[in-house]
Amino acid sequence: MSNSGGALIRGARGLWQARARFSSKSSSSGIPPEGRMSWMLLPTKKVSKSNVEGEGRTAGQSTTDMLTKAGYIYQSSAGIYTLMPLAQRVMQKIELIIDEEMQRVGGQKLAMPNLLTPENWKKTGRWQSTGDELFSFKDRKSAAMLLGPTHEEEVTAIVKDMVRSYRQYPLRLYQTTRKFRDEARPRAGLLRGREFMMKDMYTFDVGKQQAIDTFHAMETAYRRCFGRIGVTYAVADADSGNIGGSLSKEFHFVNQSGEDTLLKCNSCGYTANEERALSKSPVDKAAGAGQNKRYVARVVEGSDGKVVKQRIVEVAHGHEPSVLKIKRVWPIKSNQRLEIAEVVADHDDSSSGTPSIVATIEPLLLDDCAAEACSSSSTSEAVRGDWHVAKAGDGCGECGGVLEAQRAIEVGHIFYLGDKYSKALDLSVLYQGQREYVQMGCFGIGVSRILQAAAECSSVEGRGLRWPLSIAPYLATIVPVAENSGTKAAEEVFSALGSVCVRGAHIFKDNVLVDDRDYLSAGFRLNDAQLMGIPLTIVLGSGFAESGQVEVQLRVPGMQTMPESPSSTSISSDGYEHRARVKVEDLGEFLSQALQSQCVALGMAEVV
Ligand code: ATP
Ligand code: MG
């Protein structure tokens, strides 16, 4: 594209003038086109039920419904969405917070290709092990290609090619790009998409300790990101999954609709994903076989299923065996798989009967820690220990407390990878006379998932969306509803908001939207304002022409009460929404008082 920015803006203004010819409003106001709703592509037809098949709640409106009806997202096909201009603004605000925090810890932003070739994926084994989630296809020369689901292979190859000396480390490289994963069950709009936006950082250090220090620095950066976004979050010990490695944490928005279950100790606060939570095993050693369940874990090889090793593990009654916990101490080669089967009868020592398979694990590349911890012996003696999937009510694995469950949405995941990728792709460094593999970490944030998850966590069913101030597409919307409160009135309030100063910052600059769609009824536009979830709505009714008063509606998550102010008259306040009548000339004073507790969300104070 050869168009310059200036030409683009001039082009937009010309287009705006053309559009204005069809509108009763003049285009010469102080409100720029991008601040006018008549300029934007927004849905004007609101369907009452979700047209998004198989998604969201059955009763009431799901967040996907609300985001669709309010014009944030548009579904193209299962798990694939267009981010409409409003959502794009939310994404930009999330990305800006992430960029600032990544750059604060030395992150350098790059953009890797999404179209990848499989050579490096074959070297790490993920071409073979990723399975159906990988989008792959052939190019015109019949060469295999893939759409990047993650970028460890690519970034490691870049660093191997470009970095020659230990002096060039540490390196912290990141990007925010689309990822492609053919998810088995795409669901809930942007929460689990097949094409989605992710921020992924990859770190490269010389020495294990430096890499672990990097991991901790990144954990702090993540806490700052999520602290600034302002949705209640939890940090959980996690499993490393297919990415491998040994130190891993997940960041979650705590919410009932989440797919994940976290277990949190009511005493020491230890929090982990239930998949990997350590819990004091309730196995009753004194109890007979009726109390505890026995499972046989087998490593099986080849198409005939030859058993290479087997071991019996004992799990407390009412608990399931944990594939992850068994996997962690049992190495499996790429031509092997692990099967876990219940030992049905007491006399069944697993070699005589044919227990039914309850889980099969595909070949995995194991990290060194697991390999060291394993024993290759075959035994039919039951191994007691923490082999179960923990659940609420279990004893905490760290202290004497009790684990409690909470549902959550995973929004970020950080890993210390060690040399898993550097070894497979031969990225080494000569340091103090020794050649060693570079130590890596990877750090992901689900940017598009955050958009929907934040909406989910901050909204209340039946009342529309409600954005956290930190990522709201606009901070305020002006809705002229009375006959005589047209463009002039909107312009006056628009300019009054522009000069509002909260702690020295003009927070409303480029952050105000005017609903000038005069071809829609006042009721429709007021409904839309509520549905869109912009934190501050200013309604220009008949009181504006009579006495210069506007109705202010504040919907800010976490704002329980609105401060009493001599410059306002409260209309209603219910913890979700506060309404008051304010004179235009008092708007500045009123808003800076109302918003002064929101400085972190407004980016004017540090996260503590
Ligand atoms: P999940 O367990 O939810 O599938 P994951 O472990 O596969 O997540 P990572 O590979 O660690 O996820 O990706 C980093 C982040 O990207 C996740 O924490 C999540 O926020 C986001 N993410 C992962 N898969 C999706 C998806 N299908 N749609 C939207 N966001 C996603
Ligand atoms: Mg996944």
Side-chain angles (χ1 to χ4, degrees), residues 133 181 183 192 196 410 413 449:
E133 214 171 279
R181 296 181 185 180
E183 296 279 356
R192 185 168 294 285
F196 58 97
E410 181 195 313
H413 201 164
R449 184 180 283 185

Side-chain angles (χ1 to χ4, degrees), residues 114-286:
N114 297 114
L115 269 177
L116 304 172
T117 54
E119 283 67 38
N120 291 325
W121 285 71
K122 287 180 183 162
K123 290 184 190 157
T124 60
R126 290 208 292 187
W127 180 249
Q128 302 83 330
S129 69
T130 303
D132 291 343
E133 214 171 279
L134 202 67
F135 274 110
S136 59
F137 60 97
K138 296 254 165 64
D139 71 7
R140 62 163 70 204
K141 292 178 184 143
S142 294
M145 298 201 75
L146 64 141
L147 286 174
T150 177
H151 280 80
E152 285 80 5
E153 282 81 357
E154 193 65 16
V155 75
T156 308
I158 294 172
V159 173
K160 177 176 160 60
D161 201 34
M162 293 186 67
V163 178
R164 290 280 161 267
S165 158
Y166 72 91
R167 290 185 191 86
Q168 290 168 276
Y169 293 104
L171 271 176
R172 296 175 180 179
L173 303 172
Y174 83 101
Q175 60 175 353
T176 301
T177 54
R178 285 166 192 271
K179 297 280 189 266
F180 300 85
R181 296 181 185 180
D182 198 356
E183 296 279 356
R185 276 174 295 280
R187 66 175 279 274
L190 307 180
L191 277 193
R192 185 168 294 285
R194 297 197 298 161
E195 174 175 344
F196 58 97
M197 289 294 282
M198 194 205 285
K199 185 287 299 176
D200 43 334
M201 161 94 90
Y202 303 93
T203 61
F204 300 84
D205 282 279
V206 180
K208 259 186 189 164
Q209 191 49 52
Q210 282 80 353
I212 291 168
D213 291 347
T214 291
F215 180 87
H216 294 308
M218 290 304 299
E219 182 180 344
T220 306
Y222 267 51
R223 287 179 186 274
R224 292 182 57 90
C225 279
F226 291 112
R228 285 177 65 178
I229 290 169
V231 175
T232 306
Y233 72 96
V235 187
D237 282 5
D239 185 74
S240 314
N242 190 21
I243 289 186
S246 44
L247 196 54
S248 150
K249 287 192 178 182
E250 289 169 356
F251 286 73
H252 289 263
F253 285 170
V254 179
N255 188 267
Q256 204 38 44
S257 74
E259 273 184 79
D260 288 67
T261 300
L262 304 183
L263 293 173
K264 183 175 181 185
C265 173
N266 66 0
S267 172
C268 70
Y270 164 78
T271 305
N273 198 307
E274 68 172 353
E275 289 171 348
R276 96 148 240 181
L278 301 174
S279 79
K280 292 256 164 62
S281 167
V283 168
D284 185 349
K285 293 190 181 163

